[in-house]
Amino acid sequence: MIFFLSVLTLATTVTAIYTKRMTTIAGVEVIDTQIVRDAQALIRGFPNYLYSHQMRSWLFGAAMINANATLKKNIDLEVHAIATMLHDLGWDMTPGSRWVSPDKRFEVDGAIGARTWLSEHPIGKFWAPERVRKVFQAIALHGSGSIVNYFELEEAVIVQSISQDYNGPVNGVTHAVYDRIAKQFPQDELLSGTNKTFVWLAETKPSTTWDTWLQPWGDAFVPGYSAVGHRSFDHIAGTKAS
Ligand SMILES: *[C@@H]1O[C@H](CO)[C@@H](O)[C@H](O)[C@H]1NC(C)=O
Ligand SMILES: *[C@@H]1O[C@H](CO)[C@@H](O)[C@H](O)[C@H]1NC(C)=O
């Protein structure tokens, strides 16, 4: 059984790296394997602002990889596709969502969700541990570009892919390519949808937002929200009692 499993793990890795089945979406050449299609099917069930943000993150990233020979040679395209498309599972506002915990930051919910999804997937469950780890780390750190940029190439590139949706094209992605993606997957609800989600997170699980970059949404928009007493600043600078 162990032999069987390791052969399958090897086989899925080799398949991903050497048999590059590709297709074109919004003019961008992307990897087209069963697991990548299954990730698309999963996110298609989300509201449009969330589905389209995940799709654009993948496509902006794929365009960046396609424009750079080093990235094209070195990036594991399935790892990149799965991580970009599943990075915001923790944004699922559906009551009782299986992806959202009461007590963990949304980035961690996304990372755990993607890892669980892989472990339950008929192909994903045979993924080599380092591929799963890259997906997990990139998603867990996707709100912290100033840290993840210094991780391994895949993690950094995954987060650069996502941030293009907010910050525009980078690293060789032209405005023409960017605009074609944004035309097929419109960005009109990106900021309002993101804003609404962050308010919801600060409202429904405030302790996961205190002392994080989400805290300003609670401070600005959630009545009764206060991080005071819960910040490192309070413990270290001694303001806790005041
Ligand atoms: C390609 O990507 C690598 C890794 O991110 C980067 O160091 C390099 O500068 C890029 N090359 C070009 C021509 O953009
Ligand atoms: C963000 O949400 C707050 C609270 O609902 C709202 O007042 C503000 O206008 C929203 N901003 C955007 C860009 O949607």
Side-chain angles (χ1 to χ4, degrees), residues 100-107 109 197-219 221-231:
V100 176
S101 73
D103 62 340
K104 289 184 270 304
R105 293 175 61 151
F106 81 88
E107 303 98 313
D109 281 346
T197 307
F198 290 170
V199 173
W200 172 75
L201 288 165
E203 243 166 18
T204 57
K205 33 190 226 172
S207 67
T208 68
T209 65
W210 294 328
D211 224 2
T212 78
W213 58 271
L214 280 193
Q215 190 190 312
W217 273 269
D219 288 335
F221 298 132
V222 179
Y225 179 98
S226 176
V228 176
H230 304 288
R231 304 166 304 182

Side-chain angles (χ1 to χ4, degrees), residues 68 70-71 153:
N68 181 309
T70 309
L71 298 183
L153 190 60

Side-chain angles (χ1 to χ4, degrees), residues 10-161:
L10 184 66
T12 57
T13 308
V14 169
T15 307
I17 294 171
Y18 295 106
T19 343
K20 287 196 178 155
R21 277 161 291 174
M22 307 297 285
T23 188
T24 300
I25 301 178
V28 183
E29 190 179 67
V30 290
I31 185 140
D32 184 30
T33 56
Q34 190 58 48
I35 195 166
V36 170
R37 289 180 186 188
D38 291 343
Q40 283 170 258
L42 170 68
I43 62 173
R44 211 169 278 130
F46 290 133
N48 200 52
Y49 83 91
L50 179 50
Y51 165 66
S52 67
H53 170 51
Q54 311 294 278
M55 286 298 289
R56 286 190 305 273
S57 298
W58 176 35
L59 298 171
F60 290 147
M64 176 169 76
I65 295 165
N66 292 344
N68 181 309
T70 309
L71 298 183
K72 211 164 174 160
K73 182 160 163 268
N74 292 299
I75 294 291
D76 181 329
L77 295 179
E78 277 188 325
V79 165
H80 176 266
I82 300 302
T84 48
M85 279 194 278
L86 302 190
H87 79 270
D88 277 332
L89 293 176
W91 282 16
D92 181 16
M93 292 193 254
T94 313
S97 166
R98 68 169 297 204
W99 310 114
V100 176
S101 73
D103 62 340
K104 289 184 270 304
R105 293 175 61 151
F106 81 88
E107 303 98 313
V108 175
D109 281 346
I112 292 174
R115 185 173 63 189
T116 304
W117 184 82
L118 283 168
S119 75
E120 293 170 355
H121 188 276
I123 299 162
K125 68 183 173 193
F126 296 113
W127 270 30
E130 60 266 31
R131 302 181 81 204
V132 179
R133 193 195 66 225
K134 285 176 183 180
V135 169
F136 187 94
Q137 289 183 167
I139 296 178
L141 287 167
H142 81 264
S144 308
S146 53
I147 297 174
V148 77
N149 260 333
Y150 304 94
F151 272 57
E152 289 174 67
L153 190 60
E154 261 103 1
E155 284 93 322
V157 165
I158 287 161
V159 176
Q160 287 159 14
S161 305

